[in-house]
Amino acid sequence: MSDAAAPAGTTTLDVWLTDHPIPDFNAPVKAAAETFERAHPGYRIRIREIGYRDLPAAVAEAVAAGNPPDIAEYYFPAGQVALDTRAADGSELFVPLERAIGDRTKILGEPVVLDDIVPVVRDYYSRGGELVSMPTMASTAILFANKGLLQRAGVERLPSTWQELTDACAAVTALPDGPAHGIAWPNHGWLIQMELAAQGGLLSNSGNGRSGRSTRVTLDSPEIVAYARWWQRLHQDGHYLYTGEPRDFWGAMEAFTQQRTAFVITSSATGPYLTGLAAEAGFELTTGALPRNEAAPYAGRSLGGQSMFLKAGLPKEKEDGALAFTQHLLNPDHAVRRLHAGSLPVMRPAWEQVLADGWADQEPGFRVAAEQVMASDRTPAATGALLGDINGINEELTSAIHDVLLSGADPAERLRTATERAQARLDRYNEACLAYPPVTPEALQAG
């Protein structure tokens, strides 16, 4: 971890981490790197942090320059991109982690912890039942609420369905001095896909890309159209506050902390941040699971997070060191540290420990979010989609919703157009992957 030159005979592992605009976001990984180096003095971990949207392109550029990392941590939407990134000789740049580990139970003395991964999290980072990368953190979105405003409006419990949320917003905005709007959340592809998953709908074919490559994408499914119609009504009735900017997490949270809304839907990882802002503003925060469509069976919520991919073809000494580091990173001690830093449970022993010591009930929204993730029925719909150019596809999706909200576009018609455009993007992406020889696709931005 130090910047000093490594002693002769030291094996250096280049580890590229996904970075986010959150203070000390990668502190748990850096702490694990330090303890790994102390336990394995023949190894040095050299860390580079890259913005979450830009890391896939940086890896491709490094391949072209002849210096790709040994481990690269990809933001969750870019899993298919990682699998499709090619080495200089045209082979796959990364090897599935489970395949590289094989039947070993220890690597350089580090216990293999794959069997301890929370099943729902393992599902997300698997393809065809094989774990392809090591999950390092997990997140979801939950409902945050202003407890005082709800009490004044006579809302006795947090809404659990779309209709209950609509009614709660109406009650809050009816207060003489209440906010003009009931709720805010960002127009973001991840959140829309979570609502699709909750209703048991698929974003792409081949079992959402879990049993084979996604070659067809559907943005105008009954599930997404139902969500868009409800969202449009909520906006037309003045209950939903749209900042006018797609992907505007910060704008939605600002409206909430300024008490211009009674609710906000945002990432579970922001719980401590929102709690502090709420305290400064003089109100108490409360949290709940995301309200669901009461007219549809519930499947579960797809998750967010990131995971580490292992470069294929490393010399044995490097590969063993890299694999050992991924296991060290999520041993019981470090997995608990990751929870304390804002992640949801990735490893079952860590989850059991924070339940036993009471920490899970002290952290704002943590238990609600963790239980929401674990309530998945683990079908391909609930697991979420694995497909190429998810960033471009999300742009088509959020653009359609923007028009539905601000221009009154018919959801079904606008989402049908979005599907056509998204399919063209996916086709362009897959052309590179299915060519002979295959090449790294041009669409590499994540998130």
Side-chain angles (χ1 to χ4, degrees):
M1 270 294 294
S2 71
D3 293 331
T10 300
T11 299
T12 297
L13 300 175
D14 285 305
V15 178
W16 289 11
L17 301 181
T18 289
D19 198 20
H20 294 264
I22 299 173
D24 300 320
F25 182 80
N26 284 316
V29 182
K30 293 175 182 178
E34 292 176 357
T35 58
F36 183 82
E37 288 179 344
R38 288 199 294 270
H40 304 276
Y43 286 90
R44 177 190 175 194
I45 306 295
R46 185 163 56 196
I47 286 177
R48 179 183 174 190
E49 298 174 85
I50 302 173
Y52 69 98
R53 293 171 67 88
D54 301 324
L55 184 137
V59 170
E61 291 167 3
V63 170
N67 57 353
D70 303 309
I71 294 174
E73 185 183 50
Y74 280 69
Y75 190 42
F76 73 98
Q80 186 65 55
V81 167
L83 294 171
D84 291 330
T85 299
R86 318 304 293 189
D89 62 0
S91 63
E92 294 179 348
L93 181 63
F94 299 112
V95 60
L97 197 85
E98 187 173 3
R99 193 179 308 172
I101 289 176
D103 59 1
R104 289 182 284 182
T105 59
K106 286 188 176 182
I107 303 173
L108 301 183
E110 298 284 347
V112 172
V113 295
L114 298 190
D115 289 343
D116 290 335
I117 299 174
V118 171
V120 174
V121 178
R122 182 168 182 145
D123 289 347
Y124 189 87
Y125 294 103
S126 297
R127 182 179 62 176
E130 180 180 51
L131 185 71
V132 297
S133 56
M134 190 69 183
T136 53
M137 67 91 63
S139 65
T140 188
I142 59 173
L143 182 68
F144 293 87
N146 182 320
K147 188 174 182 179
L149 273 175
L150 298 192
Q151 289 175 339
R152 287 173 49 210
V155 180
E156 298 180 352
R157 61 183 178 85
L158 287 177
S160 62
T161 66
W162 290 355
Q163 185 58 54
E164 288 178 3
L165 179 57
T166 301
D167 294 342
C169 288
V172 167
T173 56
L175 289 170
D177 57 347
H181 305 280
I183 189 167
W185 70 79
N187 174 14
H188 193 280
W190 177 45
L191 299 183
I192 300 168
Q193 289 180 43
M194 289 183 70
E195 294 297 337
L196 169 67
Q199 298 173 77
L202 298 175
L203 186 66
S204 65
N205 64 344
S206 301
N208 249 355
R210 299 295 169 175
S211 59
R213 177 175 293 278
S214 294
T215 58
R216 300 294 304 175
V217 61
T218 305
L219 305 187
D220 60 344
S221 65
E223 294 84 5
I224 295 182
V225 170
Y227 179 54
R229 289 197 187 284
W230 171 71
W231 193 352
Q232 186 182 53
R233 290 193 303 271
L234 203 66
H235 182 256
Q236 289 173 341
D237 291 342
H239 299 322
Y240 169 74
L241 173 64
Y242 182 37
T243 68
E245 294 292 334
R247 303 186 299 276
D248 189 9
F249 276 91
W250 299 110
M253 290 190 289
E254 183 180 58
F256 173 70
T257 57
Q258 292 176 351
Q259 302 191 69
R260 292 188 284 126
T261 68
F263 299 101
V264 69
I265 291 172
T266 191
S267 172
S268 58
T270 65
Y273 171 78
L274 283 179
T275 300
L277 291 181
E280 291 177 12
F283 69 91
E284 184 180 352
L285 193 86
T286 186
T287 60
L290 289 182
R292 63 177 183 83
N293 181 1
E294 61 274 9
Y298 182 73
R301 304 282 181 179
S302 53
L303 50 81
Q306 49 210 44
S307 65
M308 288 183 169
F309 285 79
L310 175 73
K311 185 179 178 297
L314 291 174
K316 179 173 173 51
E317 188 174 25
K318 266 204 168 190
E319 181 177 270
D320 284 352
L323 288 171
F325 177 63
T326 64
Q327 304 310 291
H328 180 85
L329 177 64
L330 286 170
N331 66 28
D333 179 46
H334 287 298
V336 169
R337 290 189 190 184
R338 194 59 154 165
L339 299 187
H340 291 172
S343 175
L344 294 180
V346 169
M347 311 301 290
R348 285 181 293 187
W351 168 237
E352 292 164 0
Q353 181 173 327
V354 297
L355 283 176
D357 64 22
W359 182 88
D361 294 311
Q362 299 169 13
E363 194 66 14
F366 176 83
R367 185 165 187 150
V368 164
E371 290 178 348
Q372 176 175 282
V373 165
M374 295 180 191
S376 166
D377 67 5
R378 299 183 62 190
T379 58
T383 301
L386 185 66
L387 76 168
D389 196 10
I390 191 64
N391 184 69
I393 290 167
N394 277 338
E395 285 183 2
E396 300 298 347
L397 190 52
T398 56
S399 177
I401 294 297
H402 182 85
D403 291 345
V404 165
L405 295 176
L406 295 190
S407 302
D410 177 74
E413 292 179 6
R414 183 62 183 84
L415 286 164
R416 189 175 306 116
T417 300
T419 295
E420 294 170 359
R421 294 175 180 174
Q423 185 62 50
R425 286 179 181 264
L426 183 60
D427 289 344
R428 287 194 297 271
Y429 176 94
N430 282 338
E431 282 174 7
C433 305
L434 299 174
Y436 186 80
V439 296
T440 300
E442 292 183 1
L444 293 173
Q445 194 172 54

